[in-house]
Amino acid sequence: MSVAVRRRLAAAMIGTALAGGALSSLSACSTGADAVDQTAGGDFRFVAGTDTGKAIPVAARKAAPDFSGQTLDGKTVSLRDYRGKTLVLNFWGSWCAPCRVEAPDLETVYKEDASRGLRVLGVDVKEADKQFATSFIRNKALTYPSLWDPDGRTALSFRNYPPNSIPSTIVIDGNGRVAAVHLGPLLAPDLRTIVDPILRQQQ
């Protein structure tokens, strides 16, 4: 084998190794849906939803499943209880770092827009112990209720919009139709951009 050929082979091997290392680094540093899904340990799949700040057009909205369950404080809640209101359905877990960031913003928007018909309902999923969830709510001073859903049954009922990453948010209009879907944490400005047009349609 000539020196020139050996050099080309060596260069190719180095290039392959560098490419593999780069891909490994990207995977390890990923903060996207895959990384969160691994933390959640769930088996959820997500059909691409709307872009941040964009609601699904009224004519294209489909009915949300009529889910029901018990809240962390033992009350029974279903979608029917929110008829006529804009519902922000937020999937979260105390183990989820982005959830700790967004929860206070959800609370802020809920308090400020409750008079306009906005409601927030959390869905606590993949939680090892209910005490972790109740401590999270107490520490964050959250006043909106949350369903206790350790098995992810409520999430799985949204077959067309199943949240495979946590946090995820589904907005349901006053007619019980899915009006927006968002993957990842929602801070107050983005949440208001999503819910404001939906609230205006409802009034």
Side-chain angles (χ1 to χ4, degrees):
M1 184 182 295
S2 69
V3 173
V5 171
R6 284 200 298 270
R7 285 176 178 173
R8 285 198 294 273
L9 285 173
M13 291 174 68
I14 291 171
T16 301
L18 289 174
L23 287 173
S24 297
S25 298
L26 285 172
S27 176
C29 296
S30 174
T31 56
D34 289 342
V36 179
D37 194 25
Q38 291 164 10
T39 304
D43 189 30
F44 305 141
R45 293 295 176 263
F46 188 80
V47 177
T50 57
D51 296 332
T52 299
K54 292 185 179 179
I56 297 172
V58 174
R61 294 176 190 174
K62 296 182 179 180
D66 191 16
F67 63 86
S68 64
Q70 279 202 331
T71 61
L72 287 163
D73 56 3
K75 297 178 181 177
T76 300
V77 171
S78 72
L79 178 60
R80 290 187 298 271
D81 297 326
Y82 294 94
R83 196 74 174 179
K85 307 295 182 183
T86 296
L87 175 63
V88 175
L89 191 65
N90 176 253
F91 296 85
W92 65 278
S94 67
W95 42 265
C96 159
C99 299
R100 299 177 199 135
V101 176
E102 77 168 359
D105 280 40
L106 292 175
E107 175 70 16
T108 296
V109 176
Y110 168 56
K111 285 183 174 178
E112 292 180 353
D113 288 340
S115 62
R116 300 174 63 196
L118 182 70
R119 298 292 183 269
V120 176
L121 177 64
V123 184
D124 178 39
V125 300
K126 298 294 178 183
E127 200 72 72
D129 192 316
K130 186 183 286 189
Q131 290 183 354
F132 296 147
T134 55
S135 294
F136 179 96
I137 289 172
R138 183 173 60 253
N139 293 336
K140 296 297 181 182
L142 305 180
T143 61
Y144 58 83
S146 278
L147 291 176
W148 169 238
D149 191 32
D151 297 328
R153 293 186 180 183
T154 300
L156 289 173
S157 71
F158 283 84
R159 297 186 184 278
N160 292 325
Y161 309 94
N164 75 321
S165 67
I166 304 299
S168 290
T169 300
I170 296 174
V171 182
I172 301 172
D173 67 20
N175 293 315
R177 300 169 301 185
V178 175
V181 179
H182 182 89
L183 280 175
L186 264 176
L187 299 183
D190 286 333
L191 180 56
R192 285 199 180 93
T193 300
I194 293 172
V195 301
D196 274 350
I198 302 171
L199 287 169
R200 285 196 296 271
Q201 292 162 4
Q202 184 175 292
Q203 293 170 347

